[in-house]
Amino acid sequence: MRTALLRTAIVTAALSGAMLVPAAGAAFAAPAPAAATAKAAASEPTKVALGDNLVAHMVNSMTEAPSVTIHVVDKDGTTHPQALVSLNRAHTTESKQGTVFTLTKADTAEPVLTVTANGATRSFPLPKGKAVPAPSDNSRYEGRPVYVGNGMVAVLRNKSEGPEAWIRYVGTDWKPGDDYMTHVVALVNREQTSDKAYGASFRLTGAQTTAPVLVVTTGGVAKSYPLPEGKAGQVCSSEVTSQDMGAGMSADLSMSPDGPRVALWTSGDDTTPWRLLNRGFPQLPESAGIIARIVNPGSAEPVFEWKTQGGPMPLGRASFPALPKGCKLNHKVTEPAPTTTAGTTAAPAPKPQTAGQTSVVPKGGVAAGAEIAAEDTDNSTTVLAGTGLAAVFAALGASVLLRRRRAQR
């Protein structure tokens, strides 16, 4: 009975927002933007059935970091585009109603997805990719840890790299003196002064001064945490604009010297972004079920395009905010290609967030392999019990088909 209730609870969590975006069967192919190249386009993920009406979309290669999204599958084989769980090197573990999904060995060339429920673990290797070299020590990422709520610690630093606040998820039982070198969920510095995760927003104020302050806002209540004093320096992060994409989705757009960044959020989930787009990963694969892409990602004036609904709806388009005066891109700037698309109309101007929130793929510690493995690496192969979700998915399938027919009229 407990197992049946567990599976039903997972499905309920997965489907709470599943109807906000079109089913995969109603997905529409994105016409390739003129600036997109075969090298820049995201590769199609490897799909692995996990049982219990779940499928994992795995990405890992010599040019793409490992990532896994887990989706619910209807009885008729339709895969819901909204992910139940999203894992990567910055976010290696997630729990849904007692079932734990973990990306183990995330910094190696051969990471493994493990799924654990009721003490039973099943392992699913990802395609082979590229390992991240581990640093000789963790001193580069150590700092003064302060608990900021919602299971997170902010590690405050201000050394030769400039002011940094590494936001790490440690759990609600953490206390001063406990280990804090767990996985990163957000980062703020002079190149990205705002971020958000797990229901909280983070902003580095006075980042250009010798005495910056981290401001954490949760539930409308803001608390301040002074960083150690350091040297003054220029801030080169743009303002953040929030764009409503429709169908219960939104995007946070920002620019840094590294180029454009897009954090895609789904309604009802404020833990971590559903997907992240940047210059190296500028568009979602077709299997995502929606269109979301950065056009001309290497140019000085990139554009975000999206479409979350089927039918004759045009593509939405929005420009990225500008870098502060005096800041330059740190890569070779490419000339923008024509972006005119048949049926495309300009999207309404995005609204700046008063809290300046955004989300990025943390660099530095994550990119250099600073994460200390805290995940279970058990590779035992024990099957998750039960397949009693058929009735739930059968009912959902009928609803999806009805919605699809209405969209096609």
Side-chain angles (χ1 to χ4, degrees), residues 40-43 59 64 275-285 294:
S43 60
V59 172
E64 293 177 277
R275 292 287 181 88
L276 294 161
L277 304 179
N278 53 35
R279 189 163 53 90
F281 187 81
Q283 63 183 24
L284 293 181
I294 303 173

Side-chain angles (χ1 to χ4, degrees), residues 238-333:
S238 74
E239 292 297 323
V240 178
T241 56
S242 183
Q243 177 65 58
D244 181 10
M245 300 169 61
M249 296 195 67
S250 63
D252 287 346
L253 312 182
S254 63
M255 283 286 289
S256 78
D258 290 330
R261 295 183 177 118
V262 179
L264 300 174
W265 295 86
T266 57
S267 177
D269 186 0
D270 61 359
T271 55
T272 54
W274 172 57
R275 292 287 181 88
L276 294 161
L277 304 179
N278 53 35
R279 189 163 53 90
F281 187 81
Q283 63 183 24
L284 293 181
E286 184 178 339
S287 59
I290 66 170
I291 295 173
R293 63 193 178 204
I294 303 173
V295 182
N296 301 319
S299 75
E301 297 180 350
V303 174
F304 177 55
E305 288 188 343
W306 73 91
K307 187 176 182 183
T308 58
Q309 302 178 34
M313 294 290 293
L315 286 168
R317 302 184 75 242
S319 298
F320 283 82
L323 284 174
K325 187 176 180 180
C327 296
K328 297 181 180 179
L329 296 172
N330 60 16
H331 57 84
K332 182 179 179 181
V333 178

Side-chain angles (χ1 to χ4, degrees), residues 13-92:
L15 303 184
S16 61
M19 300 304 292
L20 298 177
V21 290
F28 25 82
T37 64
K39 183 177 180 180
S43 60
E44 286 292 317
T46 300
K47 299 177 183 179
V48 178
L50 305 181
D52 282 338
N53 295 89
L54 298 176
V55 64
H57 292 187
M58 301 178 173
V59 172
N60 194 28
S61 69
M62 296 301 291
T63 58
E64 293 177 277
S67 65
V68 177
T69 58
I70 297 170
H71 301 256
V72 176
V73 182
D74 287 346
K75 187 177 181 181
D76 65 358
T78 299
T79 301
H80 290 275
Q82 183 174 5
L84 170 68
V85 171
S86 296
L87 303 175
N88 51 41
R89 279 176 173 156
H91 181 62
T92 56

